[in-house]
Amino acid sequence: MNLPTMHSELEKYLPAFRQQLNKWITFSDEEWAIVSQHLQLKTLRKKEYFTQAGSTCKELGFILSGALRLYHLKDIEEITSYFCLANDFICSYKSFLKQQPGFSYIQAITDTLLITFTYDGLQQLLNHPLTAHKTERFGRLIAEDLIFCYEDRVQAFVTQSPEERYISLLNNNSRILQHIPQHYLANYLGITPVSLSRIRKRILEPGK
């Protein structure tokens, strides 16, 4: 897709993105005119990477459609840490903030469309007198959200069984169960696909 076409495509998504962004921070029309200059549209095909271990994450992405998973490699084993779906932000945040090589892989599970901020673009917003304060607050809120997700993940593995973790997803984040293939979900829960099938069967049995 050439740049003029990509820009016209981006324009279609900006109103909806701005509405979603209002949940985090509200920019005035004057501020938004500046912010929107630093937004880009990015497409990822299934299995394509947003970032990989050993490389520096250059972008913070907002998912318009599709699904991504964040995982690490231990020896040759993939360990899934989290999933992100439409209306989620995605980033290897430590790598992004420090602009150093990271340890995470972020891979598209399906064809995915994102709006992205580059690191350099955010630095320009942080240095602009009209957008500096709100951009800094936006970054803090994103960081807090990622910390909360990490703590919830650690707490679940310390205090819950795989079945309890699955039930928690069922009750609190069921859209993950609707969009994520079973083998990735089993990896995320720390069990085999066969064990996950047994858990699902038990939960679906009458009286459970």
Side-chain angles (χ1 to χ4, degrees):
M1 186 180 290
N2 59 41
L3 290 178
T5 304
M6 184 68 83
H7 180 74
S8 63
E9 284 290 307
L10 173 63
E11 292 291 332
K12 294 194 310 185
Y13 296 103
L14 287 181
F17 174 61
R18 185 180 182 184
Q19 186 176 8
Q20 288 292 330
L21 205 60
N22 284 342
K23 298 176 182 179
W24 300 79
I25 198 79
T26 301
F27 291 101
S28 68
D29 289 344
E30 184 179 12
E31 294 163 346
W32 181 249
I34 298 168
V35 170
S36 60
Q37 293 175 15
H38 296 280
L39 300 177
Q40 300 174 9
L41 197 64
K42 184 182 186 75
T43 59
L44 294 174
R45 297 300 184 188
K46 182 179 179 180
K47 299 287 188 179
E48 193 174 353
Y49 287 95
F50 183 80
T51 189
Q52 298 188 62
S55 63
T56 299
C57 185
K58 300 290 187 181
E59 298 169 302
L60 169 66
F62 177 83
I63 304 172
L64 294 167
S65 62
L68 296 155
R69 71 174 180 124
L70 188 152
Y71 72 90
H72 300 81
L73 282 181
K74 183 178 181 181
D75 298 324
I76 60 172
E77 181 184 0
E78 294 181 3
I79 301 174
T80 301
S81 302
Y82 209 69
F83 304 105
C84 288
L85 306 173
N87 298 328
D88 289 335
F89 282 94
I90 185 73
C91 188
S92 180
Y93 207 60
K94 182 178 179 180
S95 173
F96 180 76
L97 287 182
K98 292 182 173 291
Q99 285 298 280
Q100 296 176 352
F103 300 95
S104 301
Y105 294 84
I106 300 177
Q107 184 184 42
I109 298 174
T110 65
D111 290 350
T112 301
L113 183 66
L114 310 99
I115 286 180
T116 64
F117 297 88
T118 66
Y119 177 83
D120 290 340
L122 281 176
Q123 295 309 304
Q124 292 180 46
L125 292 174
L126 284 167
N127 291 322
H128 196 291
L130 289 180
T131 58
H133 175 70
K134 289 184 179 179
T135 302
E136 183 177 0
R137 184 166 184 268
F138 170 68
R140 177 175 59 80
L141 291 173
I142 292 291
E144 288 176 356
D145 187 64
L146 293 171
I147 290 170
F148 295 157
C149 289
Y150 174 76
E151 287 195 358
D152 288 346
R153 170 76 165 149
V154 171
Q155 181 183 12
F157 265 86
V158 171
T159 64
Q160 295 178 332
S161 67
E163 184 164 339
E164 288 171 333
R165 294 197 293 272
Y166 181 84
I167 292 172
S168 179
L169 280 178
L170 191 63
N171 292 333
N172 301 313
N173 206 347
S174 61
R175 68 185 187 131
I176 284 181
L177 305 183
Q178 297 166 8
H179 293 89
I180 303 303
Q182 183 165 312
H183 64 287
Y184 287 143
L185 185 58
N187 185 265
Y188 171 74
L189 293 171
I191 57 178
T192 66
V194 172
S195 295
L196 176 57
S197 294
R198 290 171 181 161
I199 288 173
R200 295 176 68 179
K201 183 178 179 180
R202 283 197 299 272
I203 292 172
L204 292 173
E205 286 176 0
K208 295 293 184 179

